[in-house]
Amino acid sequence: VCVNFECDFSGDNALPIIAVDEPLYRRLPAFIIATVDKFASLPWEGASGALLGGADRFDGKGFYGPASPGGRQLETPLPPPDLVIQDELHLISGPLGTMMGLYETAIEALVLRDIDGRTVGPKIVASTATVRRARDQVQALFGRPRTEVFPPSGPDRRDSFFANVRPTDEVPGRLYLGIAAKGRNPKVVMRRTMLAVMGAAELAYRDLGGHNAGPGNAADPYMTALNYFNSLRELGGARRIIEEQVQSALQSVGIERRRLNETTGLLQNRRALSQVVELTSRVSTDKVAEARARLEATFDEKDRVNFALATNMISVGLDIQRLGLMLVTGQPKTNSEYIQATSRVGRDKNRPGLVLTLLNVHKPRDRSHYERFRHYHETFYRSVEVPSVTPFSARALDRGLAGALVGLARHSEAVLAPPGGPMKLDSVRPDLEQRLIDIFESRVRSQGFQGDELAERLRSVRARVSDLLDSWLYVVREQTSVGGSVRYQKYEGGGDGKPLLQDMLEDTFPSDHHRKFRANRSLRGVEPQVNVSIWDPYDQPEGAN
């Protein structure tokens, strides 16, 4: 609810927002915000299929699809989604994009509908900042060979009607500065650079109005140093240096760095330093949200931040207009990551960004970027990598086809939708098999394969679909022969029955047929994980080996 008692959504009138899966499947809101991870729930959760259309019953608690009993019959089933907005398209690449491309085959087939004799799918709008060969990526992910770039290019590349390119002599841009020191430890370079920029920012802040200047102080964006690291190992070492050396040295940097016979140096002492803030995966979600809120605070506020340490978590979604200073330790692994991360500062035209890239000349890649620093930054959009999305490669089919096939079969056949639906496969097998083969073969043809490669991919998909359905029937008949039953998973709907779907981390299976139905619960978990246990040889019972 809203805390403002004058708001329409205060008191007993709650905001129309649902954030839990089960009521979301029941209420079926018209506008849904989700991540691609949720695609993995299609084979596991029967109620999730209602989001893609097909809910044909309703009561006071919500809508019901084929997987859920209850409700009274609607005149016509609810239509599937007709608009998909994919943000940050450039992130849907690599293993994540490959798995999404497989599951997108099932989703596309479920949301198609006939309008006036034509088969119509949803309109897909994707936004991206750094991408090359976007048409190939869209074709691999969504099977859409036709892609329209918006806004379209006009006669003047600096004026697209939606945005104007302003020269830097009119509006200050983001300034990149490369720093490298031959024969110096990279940690020493980072420490001295940090002292210089923080001490200089303090001097500028005082010269422009003192500590009571408020958000109008032009030096405020540079009073918080956002430090970017390529790995948690480098970040951990830098945090120790900042907490133990940089913070103590800043309190006397104005005196120690003063030139001979100079009363006022280029740096100013800095006191009352705040605790170091971290934006990484090893920090809990609530701490990350608190850190983001503190970064928005101006330097005259109590919750101000002096140092913020981050990894690639900040590459997307960190839209804090105040930030103006970033230190990048080491050249990031990809050019698109470098562009995305450094664009977190200087997002306000009145607060130009300053990016200091600390390069290690003893690393060939860092040295190369340092030697051609100016040319690289003037043309770095030209160096953006082509995303890799290969949904129908052999290893991708090994890991993802079972989940996509079960999800498509379950939500396209009403008798297969309930938790105990796997037992009904035999009754729908002939028509279902041909339909599944047609759907996956059509998606393979849309990928742009030619000649022998296309024929090989089609043979592989056709054989794998038939083999998975054969194994599905084998599992069902094996359980039926001993008086048992088969369910999609043991945690859905209650009741007994052996699960058809297996977790990716399972290492023991009743048979090789069960092994084929390993499916992810998240599209990010592509590879099996290994648990590591700490064994203390000195804390063992006497006589133990």
Side-chain angles (χ1 to χ4, degrees), residues 97-381:
T98 297
M99 295 296 289
M100 178 181 169
L102 267 178
Y103 277 78
E104 191 65 42
T105 305
I107 292 174
E108 177 85 1
L110 293 172
V111 299
L112 291 177
R113 51 180 172 172
D114 292 328
I115 300 179
D116 298 332
R118 295 189 306 117
T119 300
V120 179
K123 187 176 186 65
I124 299 175
V125 180
S127 68
T128 180
T130 51
V131 70
R132 290 182 67 188
R133 293 171 57 184
R135 287 181 172 83
D136 295 343
Q137 184 184 11
V138 169
Q139 187 170 354
L141 289 175
F142 304 110
R144 305 288 180 94
R146 180 182 176 186
T147 303
E148 297 291 341
V149 178
F150 179 85
S153 57
D156 185 357
R157 66 182 181 87
R158 296 182 180 274
D159 185 358
S160 63
F161 180 76
F162 300 93
N164 291 322
V165 178
R166 304 282 297 277
T168 54
D169 56 356
E170 295 181 10
V171 179
R174 190 179 299 112
L175 178 64
Y176 289 84
L177 177 64
I179 300 176
K182 185 176 181 180
R184 293 288 184 178
N185 190 308
K187 294 181 178 179
V188 174
V189 176
M190 185 200 69
R191 175 180 174 274
R192 294 191 175 183
T193 303
M194 188 80 68
L195 288 174
V197 295
M198 298 299 279
E202 180 74 18
L203 179 63
Y205 189 81
R206 294 194 179 189
D207 290 345
L208 294 174
H211 288 288
N212 297 321
N217 193 313
D220 180 74
Y222 315 102
M223 296 297 285
T224 298
L226 180 60
N227 298 263
Y228 177 90
F229 298 90
N230 294 304
S231 66
L232 289 172
R233 179 182 61 83
E234 294 177 350
L235 183 145
R239 177 163 188 163
R240 180 180 59 82
I241 292 173
I242 291 174
E243 291 178 337
E244 296 179 3
Q245 301 179 27
V246 175
Q247 289 193 350
S248 60
L250 274 176
Q251 301 190 28
S252 58
V253 68
I255 300 174
E256 295 178 355
R257 296 297 178 91
R258 190 181 301 166
R259 292 185 176 90
L260 188 63
N261 299 325
E262 193 175 47
T263 57
T264 303
L266 300 176
L267 307 178
Q268 180 67 44
N269 296 341
R270 197 160 180 172
R271 297 184 174 87
L273 297 168
S274 63
Q275 185 179 4
V276 176
V277 168
E278 189 171 317
L279 294 168
T280 64
S281 58
R282 66 181 186 179
V283 179
S284 60
T285 304
D286 57 330
K287 294 293 185 182
V288 172
E290 179 184 342
R292 289 169 60 100
R294 289 184 59 192
L295 286 173
E296 295 180 355
T298 57
F299 210 72
D300 62 324
E301 299 183 38
K302 181 180 179 180
D303 289 336
R304 63 190 182 188
V305 175
N306 290 275
F307 303 95
L309 310 183
T311 55
N312 60 358
M313 176 184 286
I314 66 168
S315 297
V316 292
L318 187 72
D319 300 325
I320 299 177
Q321 301 293 317
R322 172 182 168 268
L323 296 177
L325 175 63
M326 173 180 282
L327 281 80
V328 181
T329 303
Q331 186 69 24
K333 300 298 185 294
T334 64
N335 298 302
S336 58
E337 171 67 20
Y338 182 61
I339 296 171
Q340 287 286 332
T342 56
S343 65
R344 298 306 109 185
V345 298
R347 302 179 72 85
D348 188 342
K349 66 177 182 179
N350 297 318
R351 300 170 177 175
L354 175 60
V355 179
L356 306 177
T357 305
L358 311 182
L359 300 168
N360 186 350
V361 294
H362 303 292
K363 294 181 178 180
R365 185 166 178 271
D366 279 22
R367 187 186 187 97
S368 174
H369 277 89
Y370 181 72
E371 291 175 347
R372 55 189 184 95
F373 192 84
R374 182 186 182 94
H375 174 72
Y376 168 71
H377 285 81
E378 290 176 344
T379 61
F380 60 11
Y381 280 99

Side-chain angles (χ1 to χ4, degrees), residues 461-472:
V461 167
R462 191 181 305 117
R464 287 172 183 267
V465 169
S466 299
D467 181 60
L468 283 171
L469 293 178
D470 289 340
S471 295
W472 187 336

Side-chain angles (χ1 to χ4, degrees), residues 1 38 63 87 106 117 157 268 297 332 387 430 444 525 532:
V1 298
K38 283 299 178 183
F63 296 91
D87 193 18
R157 66 182 181 87
Q268 180 67 44
V444 171
V532 178

